[in-house]
C-alpha cells in the first residue's frame, strides 16, 4: 500500500492570459486610495500593528481604481471607503460565532436604514459600535448622489451578505463543510460582490430601472461576473486559508466530496457567456472592469501571496504555507 505525499505547491490556471478585457486604472487612483486607507486606519483605534500593516498591504483602494476607473474622484473615494470597509468586515467576522455576526449585521444595517442618527434597538448598546459609525460615515456621503433604486439594491444585497456570513458562521460553529451547490448559493452572497454591483450604478451616475435589473440577461450577467470573481478568489485565497484551517472555499469542497486532488480542484473553474444591449452597456462595462481589475489586483495585494504576487503572476506556482500551530493541534 502506497501513501501519496501531500502536495507542497500547486499551479494556478492561466486566468490572466485568458482574460482579454483591457485593464484601466483611475488617473487619481493612487491619491484616492491613500486617502481611503488613511480614513479606515484612523477610525479603527482597536487595530494592532499587524492588522494595520495588513490593511495597507491589502490595497483595496487600488482595486477600486481598477474597477471604477471612470468615476469622478469624489464618488471613487466613497466606493473606495466601502471596499476598505467591506474587507474590514470580512476580517472581523472571520472566527465570529453566529450570535456575534448577527450583532454585527444589526449594527451596520441600522446605520444604513437610519442614516441621520443612531437608533439603537433593545439588543444593541446605547453607544454605537465602531462598525456602525464607519458605515454611517461613508453612507452619509453616498446618499446625496445615489439613486433610490441603487440605494435600495445596496442595502438589500448587503443584508444578504450578512445573512450568508451568519450561515457560514453556523457551519463553522458546527464543523460542517457544505456540499457544492449549497456552498455556491451562500458564496454568491459572502463574496460581497452584489453591493459592489449596486455601486457601479452610483459610480456611473445612473439608476437602472427595476425592470432592467430584474431582466434575466442582466441577472445572468451579474451572477456570471460574481461567480467568475468569486471562484477565482477561492483559488487565490486558498493557500492562506488552508494554513489557517478555513474550509469556506470551493477547492476544499471539490477535494472532500468530488474526488479531486488539490491541482485538479484548482483546474476546475466553470465558464460563462453573455450578450447585452446605451445605459445598460455602461453598466456591463462596469462588470467587465470588475473582472479584469480584480484579477490583476489579486497579484498586487499582499492579502494572498504576500510580497511575491508578481512572481506568482509570472510563473503561476504557489508554494503551500505551513499550517498554523493551532490548526495542527486540532488535526491530531
Amino acid at each position: 500500500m502506497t501513501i501519496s505525499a501531500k502536495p507542497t505547491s500547486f499551479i494556478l490556471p492561466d486566468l490572466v492570459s485568458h482574460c482579454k478585457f483591457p485593464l484601466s486604472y483611475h488617473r487619481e487612483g493612487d491619491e484616492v486610495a491613500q486617502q481611503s486607507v488613511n480614513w479606515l486606519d484612523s477610525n479603527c483605534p482597536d487595530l494592532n500593528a499587524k492588522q494595520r500593516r495588513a490593511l495597507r498591504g491589502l490595497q483595496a483602494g487600488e482595486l477600486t481604481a481598477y474597477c471604477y476607473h471612470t468615476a469622478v474622484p469624489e464618488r471613487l473615494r466613497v466606493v473606495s471607503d466601502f471596499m476598505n470597509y467591506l474587507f474590514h468586515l470580512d476580517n472581523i467576522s472571520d472566527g465570529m460565532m453566529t450570535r456575534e455576526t448577527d450583532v454585527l449585521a444589526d449594527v451596520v444595517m441600522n446605520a444604513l436604514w437610519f442614516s441621520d442618527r443612531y437608533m439603537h434597538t433593545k439588543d444593541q448598546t446605547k453607544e454605537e459600535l465602531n462598525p456602525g459609525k464607519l458605515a454611517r460615515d461613508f453612507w452619509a456621503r453616498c446618499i446625496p448622489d445615489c439613486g433610490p433604486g441603487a440605494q435600495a439594491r445596496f442595502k438589500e444585497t448587503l443584508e444578504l451578505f450578512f445573512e450568508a456570513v451568519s450561515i457560514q458562521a453556523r457551519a463553522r460553529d458546527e464543523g460542517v463543510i457544505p456540499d457544492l451547490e449549497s456552498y455556491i448559493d451562500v458564496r454568491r452572497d459572502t463574496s460581497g460582490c452584489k453591493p459592489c454591483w449596486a455601486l457601479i450604478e452610483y459610480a456611473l451616475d445612473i439608476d437602472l430601472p427595476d425592470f432592467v435589473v430584474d431582466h434575466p440577461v442582466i441577472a445572468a450577467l451579474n451572477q456570471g461576473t460574481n461567480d467568475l470573481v468569486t471562484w477565482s478568489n477561492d483559488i487565490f485565497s486558498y493557500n492562506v486559508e488552508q494554513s489557517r484551517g478555513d474550509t469556506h472555499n470551493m477547492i476544499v469542497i471539490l477535494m472532500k466530496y468530488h474526488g479531486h486532488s488539490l491541482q485538479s480542484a484548482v483546474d476546475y473553474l466553470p465558464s460563462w457567456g453573455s450578450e447585452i444591449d446605451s445605459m445598460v452597456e455602461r453598466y456591463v462595462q462596469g462588470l467587465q472592469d470588475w473582472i479584469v481589475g480584480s484579477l490583476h489586483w489579486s497579484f498586487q495585494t499582499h492579502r494572498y501571496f504576500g510580497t511575491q504576487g508578481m512572481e506568482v503572476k509570472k510563473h503561476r506556482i504557489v508554494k503551500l504555507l505551513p499550517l498554523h500551530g493551532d490548526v495542527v493541534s486540532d488535526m491530531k
Side-chain angles (χ1 to χ4, degrees), residues 77-108:
R77 169 61 195 279
V78 171
V79 180
S80 185
D81 286 357
F82 172 69
M83 293 297 290
N84 271 297
Y85 178 69
L86 181 62
F87 279 104
H88 178 61
L89 289 178
D90 184 57
N91 289 337
I92 63 178
S93 65
D94 276 350
M96 278 186 171
M97 304 294 281
T98 306
R99 170 63 183 157
E100 295 170 312
T101 62
D102 292 342
V103 171
L104 178 63
D106 286 345
V107 167
V108 175

mmCIF file of all heavy atoms in Angstrom, residues 77-108:
data_model
loop_
_atom_site.group_PDB
_atom_site.id
_atom_site.type_symbol
_atom_site.label_atom_id
_atom_site.label_comp_id
_atom_site.label_asym_id
_atom_site.label_seq_id
_atom_site.Cartn_x
_atom_site.Cartn_y
_atom_site.Cartn_z
ATOM 1 N N ARG A 77 -13.870 57.934 -4.158
ATOM 2 C CA ARG A 77 -13.476 57.915 -2.745
ATOM 3 C C ARG A 77 -14.527 57.192 -1.895
ATOM 4 O O ARG A 77 -14.190 56.369 -1.029
ATOM 5 C CB ARG A 77 -13.280 59.348 -2.246
ATOM 6 C CG ARG A 77 -13.124 59.495 -0.743
ATOM 7 C CD ARG A 77 -11.903 58.755 -0.174
ATOM 8 N NE ARG A 77 -12.012 58.634 1.266
ATOM 9 C CZ ARG A 77 -11.693 59.599 2.128
ATOM 10 N NH1 ARG A 77 -11.214 60.763 1.683
ATOM 11 N NH2 ARG A 77 -11.822 59.404 3.420
ATOM 12 N N VAL A 78 -15.803 57.464 -2.147
ATOM 13 C CA VAL A 78 -16.857 56.799 -1.386
ATOM 14 C C VAL A 78 -16.820 55.284 -1.612
ATOM 15 O O VAL A 78 -16.892 54.490 -0.664
ATOM 16 C CB VAL A 78 -18.245 57.360 -1.762
ATOM 17 C CG1 VAL A 78 -19.351 56.515 -1.130
ATOM 18 C CG2 VAL A 78 -18.376 58.816 -1.324
ATOM 19 N N VAL A 79 -16.684 54.887 -2.874
ATOM 20 C CA VAL A 79 -16.635 53.459 -3.180
ATOM 21 C C VAL A 79 -15.389 52.822 -2.573
ATOM 22 O O VAL A 79 -15.430 51.703 -2.038
ATOM 23 C CB VAL A 79 -16.680 53.220 -4.709
ATOM 24 C CG1 VAL A 79 -16.634 51.727 -5.000
ATOM 25 C CG2 VAL A 79 -17.950 53.820 -5.309
ATOM 26 N N SER A 80 -14.266 53.542 -2.640
ATOM 27 C CA SER A 80 -13.025 53.031 -2.066
ATOM 28 C C SER A 80 -13.153 52.843 -0.558
ATOM 29 O O SER A 80 -12.682 51.836 -0.001
ATOM 30 C CB SER A 80 -11.870 54.002 -2.380
ATOM 31 O OG SER A 80 -10.636 53.475 -1.929
ATOM 32 N N ASP A 81 -13.816 53.789 0.096
ATOM 33 C CA ASP A 81 -14.042 53.639 1.539
ATOM 34 C C ASP A 81 -14.876 52.393 1.825
ATOM 35 O O ASP A 81 -14.609 51.648 2.785
ATOM 36 C CB ASP A 81 -14.745 54.873 2.103
ATOM 37 C CG ASP A 81 -13.811 56.076 2.218
ATOM 38 O OD1 ASP A 81 -12.610 55.941 1.924
ATOM 39 O OD2 ASP A 81 -14.305 57.162 2.594
ATOM 40 N N PHE A 82 -15.905 52.149 1.003
ATOM 41 C CA PHE A 82 -16.710 50.948 1.206
ATOM 42 C C PHE A 82 -15.881 49.690 0.979
ATOM 43 O O PHE A 82 -16.018 48.712 1.731
ATOM 44 C CB PHE A 82 -17.933 50.923 0.285
ATOM 45 C CG PHE A 82 -18.667 49.613 0.344
ATOM 46 C CD1 PHE A 82 -19.359 49.247 1.486
ATOM 47 C CD2 PHE A 82 -18.625 48.723 -0.723
ATOM 48 C CE1 PHE A 82 -20.008 48.018 1.572
ATOM 49 C CE2 PHE A 82 -19.275 47.489 -0.650
ATOM 50 C CZ PHE A 82 -19.970 47.137 0.504
ATOM 51 N N MET A 83 -15.031 49.692 -0.051
ATOM 52 C CA MET A 83 -14.226 48.497 -0.325
ATOM 53 C C MET A 83 -13.302 48.189 0.848
ATOM 54 O O MET A 83 -13.170 47.029 1.273
ATOM 55 C CB MET A 83 -13.423 48.699 -1.604
ATOM 56 C CG MET A 83 -14.280 48.779 -2.868
ATOM 57 S SD MET A 83 -15.184 47.256 -3.206
ATOM 58 C CE MET A 83 -13.834 46.191 -3.651
ATOM 59 N N ASN A 84 -12.629 49.221 1.374
ATOM 60 C CA ASN A 84 -11.795 49.003 2.556
ATOM 61 C C ASN A 84 -12.633 48.499 3.724
ATOM 62 O O ASN A 84 -12.238 47.588 4.461
ATOM 63 C CB ASN A 84 -11.089 50.310 2.945
ATOM 64 C CG ASN A 84 -9.751 50.489 2.255
ATOM 65 O OD1 ASN A 84 -8.825 49.701 2.455
ATOM 66 N ND2 ASN A 84 -9.648 51.521 1.436
ATOM 67 N N TYR A 85 -13.817 49.075 3.867
ATOM 68 C CA TYR A 85 -14.723 48.699 4.955
ATOM 69 C C TYR A 85 -15.219 47.258 4.796
ATOM 70 O O TYR A 85 -15.302 46.506 5.774
ATOM 71 C CB TYR A 85 -15.894 49.673 4.979
ATOM 72 C CG TYR A 85 -16.948 49.394 6.022
ATOM 73 C CD1 TYR A 85 -16.675 49.561 7.374
ATOM 74 C CD2 TYR A 85 -18.232 48.997 5.644
ATOM 75 C CE1 TYR A 85 -17.646 49.325 8.336
ATOM 76 C CE2 TYR A 85 -19.207 48.764 6.599
ATOM 77 C CZ TYR A 85 -18.912 48.927 7.946
ATOM 78 O OH TYR A 85 -19.879 48.686 8.891
ATOM 79 N N LEU A 86 -15.536 46.866 3.558
ATOM 80 C CA LEU A 86 -16.029 45.516 3.312
ATOM 81 C C LEU A 86 -14.986 44.468 3.693
ATOM 82 O O LEU A 86 -15.303 43.455 4.329
ATOM 83 C CB LEU A 86 -16.426 45.368 1.837
ATOM 84 C CG LEU A 86 -16.997 44.013 1.416
ATOM 85 C CD1 LEU A 86 -18.292 43.715 2.162
ATOM 86 C CD2 LEU A 86 -17.255 43.991 -0.093
ATOM 87 N N PHE A 87 -13.732 44.695 3.294
ATOM 88 C CA PHE A 87 -12.677 43.762 3.687
ATOM 89 C C PHE A 87 -12.488 43.771 5.205
ATOM 90 O O PHE A 87 -12.195 42.729 5.812
ATOM 91 C CB PHE A 87 -11.356 44.119 2.989
ATOM 92 C CG PHE A 87 -11.260 43.617 1.574
ATOM 93 C CD1 PHE A 87 -11.415 44.478 0.495
ATOM 94 C CD2 PHE A 87 -11.009 42.278 1.315
ATOM 95 C CE1 PHE A 87 -11.332 44.019 -0.816
ATOM 96 C CE2 PHE A 87 -10.917 41.799 0.009
ATOM 97 C CZ PHE A 87 -11.082 42.673 -1.063
ATOM 98 N N HIS A 88 -12.660 44.947 5.820
ATOM 99 C CA HIS A 88 -12.577 45.047 7.277
ATOM 100 C C HIS A 88 -13.671 44.196 7.931
ATOM 101 O O HIS A 88 -13.408 43.456 8.896
ATOM 102 C CB HIS A 88 -12.720 46.515 7.685
ATOM 103 C CG HIS A 88 -12.705 46.753 9.171
ATOM 104 N ND1 HIS A 88 -11.631 46.428 9.972
ATOM 105 C CD2 HIS A 88 -13.661 47.288 10.003
ATOM 106 C CE1 HIS A 88 -11.915 46.752 11.232
ATOM 107 N NE2 HIS A 88 -13.134 47.265 11.272
ATOM 108 N N LEU A 89 -14.894 44.276 7.400
ATOM 109 C CA LEU A 89 -15.984 43.444 7.915
ATOM 110 C C LEU A 89 -15.665 41.967 7.764
ATOM 111 O O LEU A 89 -15.930 41.154 8.661
ATOM 112 C CB LEU A 89 -17.295 43.764 7.183
ATOM 113 C CG LEU A 89 -17.974 45.100 7.470
ATOM 114 C CD1 LEU A 89 -19.228 45.235 6.618
ATOM 115 C CD2 LEU A 89 -18.312 45.247 8.950
ATOM 116 N N ASP A 90 -15.105 41.610 6.612
ATOM 117 C CA ASP A 90 -14.746 40.218 6.354
ATOM 118 C C ASP A 90 -13.722 39.735 7.381
ATOM 119 O O ASP A 90 -13.832 38.628 7.912
ATOM 120 C CB ASP A 90 -14.195 40.081 4.937
ATOM 121 C CG ASP A 90 -13.885 38.637 4.565
ATOM 122 O OD1 ASP A 90 -14.793 37.788 4.635
ATOM 123 O OD2 ASP A 90 -12.728 38.355 4.192
ATOM 124 N N ASN A 91 -12.749 40.590 7.664
ATOM 125 C CA ASN A 91 -11.707 40.205 8.619
ATOM 126 C C ASN A 91 -12.248 40.054 10.033
ATOM 127 O O ASN A 91 -11.922 39.089 10.733
ATOM 128 C CB ASN A 91 -10.580 41.244 8.607
ATOM 129 C CG ASN A 91 -9.750 41.191 7.334
ATOM 130 O OD1 ASN A 91 -9.702 40.179 6.647
ATOM 131 N ND2 ASN A 91 -9.095 42.298 7.014
ATOM 132 N N ILE A 92 -13.081 41.002 10.467
ATOM 133 C CA ILE A 92 -13.549 40.932 11.859
ATOM 134 C C ILE A 92 -14.626 39.859 12.044
ATOM 135 O O ILE A 92 -14.829 39.372 13.158
ATOM 136 C CB ILE A 92 -14.060 42.299 12.369
ATOM 137 C CG1 ILE A 92 -15.268 42.776 11.565
ATOM 138 C CG2 ILE A 92 -12.937 43.323 12.358
ATOM 139 C CD1 ILE A 92 -15.840 44.112 12.065
ATOM 140 N N SER A 93 -15.299 39.468 10.954
ATOM 141 C CA SER A 93 -16.326 38.415 11.086
ATOM 142 C C SER A 93 -15.718 37.022 11.036
ATOM 143 O O SER A 93 -16.339 36.059 11.490
ATOM 144 C CB SER A 93 -17.382 38.562 9.984
ATOM 145 O OG SER A 93 -16.824 38.344 8.700
ATOM 146 N N ASP A 94 -14.507 36.884 10.491
ATOM 147 C CA ASP A 94 -13.834 35.584 10.468
ATOM 148 C C ASP A 94 -13.592 35.116 11.903
ATOM 149 O O ASP A 94 -12.992 35.822 12.714
ATOM 150 C CB ASP A 94 -12.490 35.674 9.740
ATOM 151 C CG ASP A 94 -12.646 35.532 8.233
ATOM 152 O OD1 ASP A 94 -13.755 35.178 7.789
ATOM 153 O OD2 ASP A 94 -11.668 35.778 7.512
ATOM 154 N N GLY A 95 -14.071 33.952 12.209
ATOM 155 C CA GLY A 95 -13.885 33.413 13.551
ATOM 156 C C GLY A 95 -14.982 33.785 14.527
ATOM 157 O O GLY A 95 -15.006 33.290 15.657
ATOM 158 N N MET A 96 -15.902 34.684 14.121
ATOM 159 C CA MET A 96 -17.013 35.043 14.996
ATOM 160 C C MET A 96 -17.991 33.882 15.146
ATOM 161 O O MET A 96 -18.201 33.116 14.215
ATOM 162 C CB MET A 96 -17.775 36.251 14.437
ATOM 163 C CG MET A 96 -17.158 37.592 14.741
ATOM 164 S SD MET A 96 -18.258 38.936 14.179
ATOM 165 C CE MET A 96 -17.434 40.353 14.915
ATOM 166 N N MET A 97 -18.602 33.787 16.301
ATOM 167 C CA MET A 97 -19.693 32.850 16.494
ATOM 168 C C MET A 97 -20.943 33.421 15.823
ATOM 169 O O MET A 97 -21.015 34.614 15.506
ATOM 170 C CB MET A 97 -19.957 32.637 17.981
ATOM 171 C CG MET A 97 -18.744 32.174 18.775
ATOM 172 S SD MET A 97 -18.175 30.520 18.294
ATOM 173 C CE MET A 97 -19.377 29.519 19.176
ATOM 174 N N THR A 98 -21.943 32.591 15.611
ATOM 175 C CA THR A 98 -23.153 33.010 14.899
ATOM 176 C C THR A 98 -23.798 34.224 15.561
ATOM 177 O O THR A 98 -24.195 35.176 14.891
ATOM 178 C CB THR A 98 -24.170 31.857 14.864
ATOM 179 O OG1 THR A 98 -23.533 30.694 14.327
ATOM 180 C CG2 THR A 98 -25.356 32.226 13.996
ATOM 181 N N ARG A 99 -23.921 34.210 16.878
ATOM 182 C CA ARG A 99 -24.547 35.321 17.590
ATOM 183 C C ARG A 99 -23.789 36.633 17.354
ATOM 184 O O ARG A 99 -24.392 37.692 17.173
ATOM 185 C CB ARG A 99 -24.601 34.995 19.080
ATOM 186 C CG ARG A 99 -25.008 36.164 19.983
ATOM 187 C CD ARG A 99 -26.409 36.654 19.688
ATOM 188 N NE ARG A 99 -26.750 37.817 20.506
ATOM 189 C CZ ARG A 99 -27.683 38.694 20.188
ATOM 190 N NH1 ARG A 99 -28.367 38.543 19.065
ATOM 191 N NH2 ARG A 99 -27.945 39.701 20.984
ATOM 192 N N GLU A 100 -22.481 36.585 17.327
ATOM 193 C CA GLU A 100 -21.676 37.782 17.133
ATOM 194 C C GLU A 100 -21.860 38.367 15.733
ATOM 195 O O GLU A 100 -21.888 39.584 15.555
ATOM 196 C CB GLU A 100 -20.201 37.474 17.382
ATOM 197 C CG GLU A 100 -19.875 37.092 18.821
ATOM 198 C CD GLU A 100 -18.473 36.579 18.977
ATOM 199 O OE1 GLU A 100 -18.071 35.710 18.184
ATOM 200 O OE2 GLU A 100 -17.767 37.040 19.900
ATOM 201 N N THR A 101 -21.986 37.501 14.727
ATOM 202 C CA THR A 101 -22.198 38.002 13.358
ATOM 203 C C THR A 101 -23.563 38.666 13.238
ATOM 204 O O THR A 101 -23.724 39.634 12.498
ATOM 205 C CB THR A 101 -22.071 36.873 12.321
ATOM 206 O OG1 THR A 101 -23.074 35.875 12.555
ATOM 207 C CG2 THR A 101 -20.699 36.222 12.374
ATOM 208 N N ASP A 102 -24.540 38.143 13.968
ATOM 209 C CA ASP A 102 -25.873 38.753 13.941
ATOM 210 C C ASP A 102 -25.843 40.153 14.559
ATOM 211 O O ASP A 102 -26.498 41.076 14.074
ATOM 212 C CB ASP A 102 -26.877 37.872 14.688
ATOM 213 C CG ASP A 102 -27.158 36.557 13.969
ATOM 214 O OD1 ASP A 102 -26.853 36.479 12.752
ATOM 215 O OD2 ASP A 102 -27.667 35.626 14.608
ATOM 216 N N VAL A 103 -25.089 40.329 15.634
ATOM 217 C CA VAL A 103 -24.946 41.645 16.270
ATOM 218 C C VAL A 103 -24.262 42.614 15.309
ATOM 219 O O VAL A 103 -24.685 43.774 15.165
ATOM 220 C CB VAL A 103 -24.139 41.536 17.583
ATOM 221 C CG1 VAL A 103 -23.791 42.926 18.120
ATOM 222 C CG2 VAL A 103 -24.928 40.748 18.628
ATOM 223 N N LEU A 104 -23.216 42.142 14.640
ATOM 224 C CA LEU A 104 -22.503 42.973 13.666
ATOM 225 C C LEU A 104 -23.442 43.417 12.555
ATOM 226 O O LEU A 104 -23.450 44.595 12.163
ATOM 227 C CB LEU A 104 -21.323 42.192 13.091
ATOM 228 C CG LEU A 104 -20.492 42.905 12.013
ATOM 229 C CD1 LEU A 104 -19.821 44.149 12.575
ATOM 230 C CD2 LEU A 104 -19.441 41.949 11.437
ATOM 231 N N ALA A 105 -24.247 42.502 12.051
ATOM 232 C CA ALA A 105 -25.190 42.827 10.981
ATOM 233 C C ALA A 105 -26.191 43.881 11.434
ATOM 234 O O ALA A 105 -26.477 44.843 10.702
ATOM 235 C CB ALA A 105 -25.921 41.563 10.529
ATOM 236 N N ASP A 106 -26.731 43.722 12.629
ATOM 237 C CA ASP A 106 -27.716 44.680 13.147
ATOM 238 C C ASP A 106 -27.117 46.081 13.248
ATOM 239 O O ASP A 106 -27.763 47.078 12.909
ATOM 240 C CB ASP A 106 -28.211 44.242 14.532
ATOM 241 C CG ASP A 106 -29.167 43.062 14.455
ATOM 242 O OD1 ASP A 106 -29.653 42.767 13.346
ATOM 243 O OD2 ASP A 106 -29.410 42.436 15.504
ATOM 244 N N VAL A 107 -25.886 46.161 13.709
ATOM 245 C CA VAL A 107 -25.229 47.457 13.894
ATOM 246 C C VAL A 107 -25.023 48.158 12.558
ATOM 247 O O VAL A 107 -25.313 49.353 12.405
ATOM 248 C CB VAL A 107 -23.870 47.263 14.610
ATOM 249 C CG1 VAL A 107 -23.030 48.545 14.534
ATOM 250 C CG2 VAL A 107 -24.077 46.855 16.059
ATOM 251 N N VAL A 108 -24.550 47.412 11.559
ATOM 252 C CA VAL A 108 -24.259 48.012 10.252
ATOM 253 C C VAL A 108 -25.542 48.388 9.530
ATOM 254 O O VAL A 108 -25.670 49.503 8.998
ATOM 255 C CB VAL A 108 -23.420 47.042 9.389
ATOM 256 C CG1 VAL A 108 -23.226 47.616 7.983
ATOM 257 C CG2 VAL A 108 -22.074 46.783 10.048
#
